Amino acid sequence: MQHTITHHLLMILFLMLSETTANDFSTSLEAKALLATNWWPYVNASVYHCKWHGITCNDEGSVIDMSLYSHYLGDRPLLGSLDFSSFPNLVTINIHNCGLEGSIPKHIGLLSNLNYLSLSENRLTGTLPASLANLTQLYYLDLSKNQLTGHIPKEITNLQKLETLNLDANNFDGPLPSNLDNLSRLKILNLGMNSISGRIPLDIANMTSLRLDLNHNRLVGPVLPEFIKLPRLYYVDYSSNHLSGDLSSQNLSDCYYIEYLDLSSNKLDGDVPALNISNFKHLNLSRNHFAGIAPPYIFTKSDRVDLSCNDLTGQSRCTETKKHVLYMEIFLPIIFGIFFLVLCFMCYHHKKTKQNKIKHYTKKHGDVCCVLHYDGTIAYEDFITATKDFNIKFCIGTGSYGSIYVAKLPNGKTFALKKLHHFEANQPTFDLSFKNEIQVLINLRHKNIVKLYGFCIHKKCNFLVYEYMEKGSLYCALSDIELAIEVDWIKRVNIIKGVAHALAYLHHDCSPPIVHRDISSKNILLNSKVEGFVADFGAARLLDPDSSNQALIVGTLGYIAPELAYNMIVTEKCDVYSFGVVALEIIGGMHPGDLLSSLNYSTSHAKRLPYPTNRSIENEIVCIYNVALACICTDPKCRPTMRNLSMELSC
């Protein structure tokens, strides 16, 4: 690593405690060019532009790499405000999902050393400048998911080193450029989701592309054999166009390399062409006008072949192909009806049996015990026996709302029980917290969230039944000398990624979104493989988009976002801030505040690991520092979302 881990951590601690003005920056031409944009994020993060977030320099201090993923660049950041002429040594531009606006400036063609250009998932408009043809070293070009318009310039075929060309999901129109075969090194051509019209040019047959995607355009004309029999071609998608013609004369049995072929939603007709189904993993000829007798393989290989919505004999129009269509149409309703009646009888019998057992148990013990996947009566008695009525010797931890016990059942399985504090059991607020945790966890399904097996509401005690985590909390692991060494760099990086994925799931895949509100190293648990899991949802809050999301301050000191302490407004960005602190804690070995305090002494008690020797791990750690820095911004609007963080860490 160019800078040691300690240096990076000190820099972050410095940022948390001080501010630097723009007058302190390097006066180099490149620094001025970046400052002039007025949108480069976190430019006040260093006194030297090569240390700015997303900037990489060579040994001479010249910028060679600009890489940003899903970062807030201010209001309406314009790509044209970046003076590319000030970056003669730039090799990589990768600004993904950052809200960039404006058009691609012509002077981008001055970057003669550029070999990687990605501006995907922004809001770019206008046409492609012909000056892109000057980027003769370019091997990767991705401008997908923008709002670019106009024709694809023919000059783009001058980029003879290009291996990937992705212009997917824009508003390009007009015909495909001629001389596409000039792109002799091209491996991926993705021009889907546009309004490209005209015929597929014949010179495409001379390409050696491995993946060809022209779906959802306005292409017309026949599908010639040359278009689907290119050498080394394994993926072809011409779906949702206006292609027409008779394919019956084409023999597709010799398409040895194609694994994926999609010609669906076109105007193709005639008999289904000869096929060798064993060559294909996916073949979609649906929503066309194929006629004749349905080939027998659609009944035996329906998992690979889709010929639905055609005019084939023995097949209903616009219905998915099934095995033995006639048989299923006649007998399926009868079989389903019988199965339904049997199922209803079994459910009724099971419900009555369960009600009788609950009724008997309630008379004997009080409130009903409800435990998922178990019979309530047996489970309750087993847990009481396993913990000897919650004897203190089985207690493995105490939290804000209850104590954690380990319970090994007679079947050999071990669980963790979270028992509500007895003196709090009758308090409405704590009872609400307990029920809230049940409500949140009962429907969560994520590999990095501690699994809830069941719960018990009983007059003697209330408890939750969790998956048992052998290594305890992350906080204890980092505090223990032996265990801290076991949690090596790879495991620490994976723990951070796992927590990021779990929070992204809570924020973006749950409806309504869930804010944990108490992300800390004490609420991240480790299993026997030292994998991280988010736990303790007692403070979780379901976000109502129609409410002000105001609540009492909850959480752990040192992890609470500033805006929550100031105005008590709960948003997903509160979890983002806490995640940033936890990420720094995992890499630094202790909480950043504790680490700062330890600098006052000659020795530090942090459980440090030797510096990593693997370059990829070094790069991931540096990436995590950059991510953590973005997370702990004072302004919540400047913090990225957990979905974007999860994607960035995955990359």
Side-chain angles (χ1 to χ4, degrees):
M1 244 185 287
Q2 185 177 1
H3 304 287
T4 64
I5 299 300
T6 303
H7 175 80
H8 281 291
L9 188 54
L10 290 176
M11 179 64 69
I12 292 172
L13 291 173
F14 171 76
L15 292 172
M16 295 172 67
L17 298 174
S18 65
E19 295 183 355
T20 307
T21 64
N23 295 328
D24 296 325
F25 293 113
S26 167
T27 58
S28 72
L29 181 63
E30 289 159 316
K32 289 181 178 179
L34 288 172
L35 284 172
T37 65
N38 198 33
W39 54 257
W40 198 263
Y42 319 122
V43 294
N44 61 341
S46 172
V47 296
Y48 179 44
H49 70 275
C50 290
K51 297 179 183 177
W52 295 353
H53 184 80
I55 290 291
T56 302
C57 296
N58 58 19
D59 294 339
E60 289 74 33
S62 182
V63 176
I64 60 173
D65 187 315
M66 294 181 184
S67 296
L68 284 175
Y69 305 88
S70 307
H71 284 81
Y72 176 74
L73 302 180
D75 295 331
R76 301 196 63 183
L78 297 177
L79 180 63
S81 62
L82 186 63
D83 184 5
F84 289 108
S85 63
S86 300
F87 304 95
N89 298 312
L90 199 57
V91 175
T92 299
I93 298 178
N94 191 354
I95 304 178
H96 170 81
N97 190 24
C98 294
L100 275 182
E101 298 185 5
S103 58
I104 300 175
K106 295 180 180 179
H107 57 268
I108 196 173
L110 299 175
L111 303 176
S112 58
N113 294 318
L114 196 68
N115 61 33
Y116 189 104
L117 175 59
S118 176
L119 300 172
S120 60
E121 295 192 37
N122 285 290
R123 304 191 196 107
L124 299 177
T125 56
T127 60
L128 291 185
S131 61
L132 283 175
N134 298 329
L135 306 179
T136 56
Q137 302 301 313
L138 208 63
Y139 73 87
Y140 186 95
L141 177 59
D142 186 355
L143 303 176
S144 62
K145 296 180 176 62
N146 280 287
Q147 301 166 24
L148 299 170
T149 57
H151 294 11
I152 299 174
K154 63 180 180 180
E155 290 83 1
I156 205 168
T157 61
N158 294 335
L159 304 178
Q160 297 185 9
K161 293 187 177 181
L162 209 59
E163 297 179 4
T164 296
L165 175 58
N166 189 355
L167 303 179
D168 176 73
N170 279 284
N171 298 314
F172 291 114
D173 55 23
L176 289 169
S178 58
N179 299 325
L180 280 173
D181 54 340
N182 286 348
L183 304 177
S184 58
R185 298 186 183 182
L186 201 63
K187 297 180 180 179
I188 296 176
L189 176 61
N190 188 351
L191 304 179
M193 302 292 290
N194 283 286
S195 299
I196 300 172
S197 58
R199 293 173 176 261
I200 303 174
L202 286 173
D203 56 11
I204 205 171
N206 299 322
M207 299 175 62
T208 56
S209 174
L210 297 179
R211 179 180 177 124
L212 185 59
D213 198 335
L214 296 173
N215 73 86
H216 287 83
N217 280 288
R218 299 176 182 175
L219 297 172
V220 298
V223 180
L224 300 178
E226 292 85 352
F227 298 162
I228 51 181
K229 294 184 180 181
L230 307 184
R232 301 192 298 122
L233 190 65
Y234 76 92
Y235 184 107
V236 182
D237 189 350
Y238 292 143
S239 63
S240 298
N241 278 284
H242 304 298
L243 301 174
S244 59
D246 187 347
L247 286 185
S248 59
S249 61
Q250 295 192 23
N251 185 356
L252 301 184
S253 298
D254 55 355
C255 294
Y256 301 110
Y257 299 103
I258 293 184
E259 298 179 355
Y260 184 106
L261 177 59
D262 193 339
L263 299 176
S264 63
S265 299
N266 279 286
K267 301 177 180 179
L268 303 174
D269 54 27
D271 294 335
V272 176
L275 298 168
N276 185 353
I277 299 302
S278 61
N279 292 347
F280 294 94
K281 293 182 179 178
H282 176 91
L283 174 62
N284 192 344
L285 302 178
S286 67
R287 300 186 182 277
N288 280 285
H289 300 290
F290 292 112
I293 300 175
Y297 51 72
I298 72 170
F299 303 119
T300 59
K301 296 292 184 180
S302 59
D303 57 331
R304 295 184 182 180
V305 182
D306 188 354
L307 289 173
S308 62
C309 298
N310 280 288
D311 299 316
L312 299 172
T313 303
Q315 178 192 51
S316 299
R317 177 69 182 171
C318 286
T319 56
E320 297 299 323
T321 56
K322 297 180 179 70
K323 296 180 180 180
H324 313 297
V325 175
L326 182 61
Y327 174 83
M328 297 299 285
E329 287 182 351
I330 297 176
F331 294 103
L332 182 59
I334 299 175
I335 296 173
F336 181 78
I338 296 174
F339 175 78
F340 181 75
L341 291 175
V342 172
L343 182 63
C344 289
F345 175 78
M346 294 177 62
C347 291
Y348 174 79
H349 178 72
H350 176 76
K351 183 177 180 180
K352 292 296 293 184
T353 302
K354 184 175 181 180
Q355 287 177 343
N356 291 334
K357 294 177 69 175
I358 291 175
K359 184 177 180 180
H360 171 75
Y361 183 77
T362 303
K363 290 181 179 180
K364 183 177 180 181
H365 296 283
D367 295 341
V368 176
C369 173
C370 304
V371 180
L372 302 179
H373 309 306
Y374 298 97
D375 178 88
T377 305
I378 299 174
Y380 175 79
E381 294 175 349
D382 282 349
F383 287 131
I384 294 298
T385 302
T387 59
K388 295 185 178 179
D389 200 9
F390 294 103
N391 190 291
I392 192 172
K393 72 177 183 178
F394 295 97
C395 183
I396 57 176
T398 302
S400 303
Y401 305 104
S403 299
I404 311 299
Y405 294 82
V406 59
K408 187 172 183 179
L409 298 185
N411 61 8
K413 294 184 178 181
T414 303
F415 299 91
L417 307 183
K418 180 180 179 180
K419 177 178 176 290
L420 194 67
H421 291 313
H422 181 70
F423 65 90
E424 296 166 344
N426 296 323
Q427 298 295 323
T429 56
F430 286 98
D431 183 60
L432 178 63
S433 173
F434 178 78
K435 293 180 179 179
N436 188 38
E437 184 159 5
I438 294 174
Q439 179 187 12
V440 172
L441 282 177
I442 205 74
N443 294 316
L444 295 185
R445 297 292 185 271
H446 193 277
K447 64 178 182 179
N448 292 109
I449 294 178
V450 175
K451 185 176 182 180
L452 172 66
Y453 285 103
F455 60 93
C456 175
I457 300 177
H458 193 270
K459 66 179 183 181
K460 290 186 177 180
C461 65
N462 298 336
F463 63 82
L464 298 168
V465 183
Y466 281 111
E467 178 182 7
Y468 178 62
M469 293 289 157
E470 293 82 354
K471 297 294 184 180
S473 72
L474 174 64
Y475 173 82
C476 294
L478 296 177
S479 303
D480 182 86
I481 296 178
E482 294 183 1
L483 191 53
I485 296 176
E486 182 180 348
V487 188
D488 57 27
W489 288 116
I490 295 179
K491 291 185 175 66
R492 295 190 186 203
V493 168
N494 289 334
I495 290 171
I496 293 172
K497 290 182 180 180
V499 174
H501 298 332
L503 290 177
Y505 167 79
L506 294 174
H507 292 180
H508 302 284
D509 296 326
C510 295
S511 181
I514 299 172
V515 179
H516 188 284
R517 295 204 296 169
D518 195 13
I519 294 296
S520 69
S521 58
K522 293 183 179 179
N523 288 336
I524 297 173
L525 304 182
L526 307 177
N527 65 4
S528 59
K529 298 179 181 179
V530 198
E531 298 170 324
F533 296 79
V534 175
D536 199 345
F537 283 75
R541 180 179 179 85
L542 304 178
L543 279 190
D544 181 357
D546 297 325
S547 71
S548 62
N549 295 324
Q550 290 187 342
L552 296 176
I553 298 178
V554 295
T556 304
L557 292 178
Y559 301 86
I560 301 175
E563 69 273 12
L564 184 57
Y566 296 150
N567 51 35
M568 295 184 294
I569 295 179
V570 179
T571 68
E572 296 96 329
K573 295 300 181 71
C574 297
D575 282 351
V576 175
Y577 182 92
S578 302
F579 170 80
V581 177
V582 170
L584 294 176
E585 182 176 358
I586 294 174
I587 299 300
M590 60 170 58
H591 189 279
D594 296 333
L595 182 58
L596 184 62
S597 301
S598 70
L599 297 179
N600 296 325
Y601 301 93
S602 58
T603 59
S604 172
H605 298 287
K607 313 302 181 294
R608 298 188 181 279
L609 296 175
Y611 293 132
T613 57
N614 185 292
R615 189 57 181 268
S616 63
I617 295 299
E618 291 179 355
N619 292 336
E620 291 207 59
I621 293 173
V622 172
C623 175
I624 289 171
Y625 273 120
N626 292 333
V627 165
L629 177 62
C631 292
I632 61 175
C633 283
T634 305
D635 186 355
K637 294 181 180 179
C638 294
R639 299 174 202 151
T641 65
M642 287 309 307
R643 169 169 287 171
N644 291 335
L645 287 178
S646 176
M647 293 173 58
E648 183 170 349
L649 292 176
S650 296
C651 294

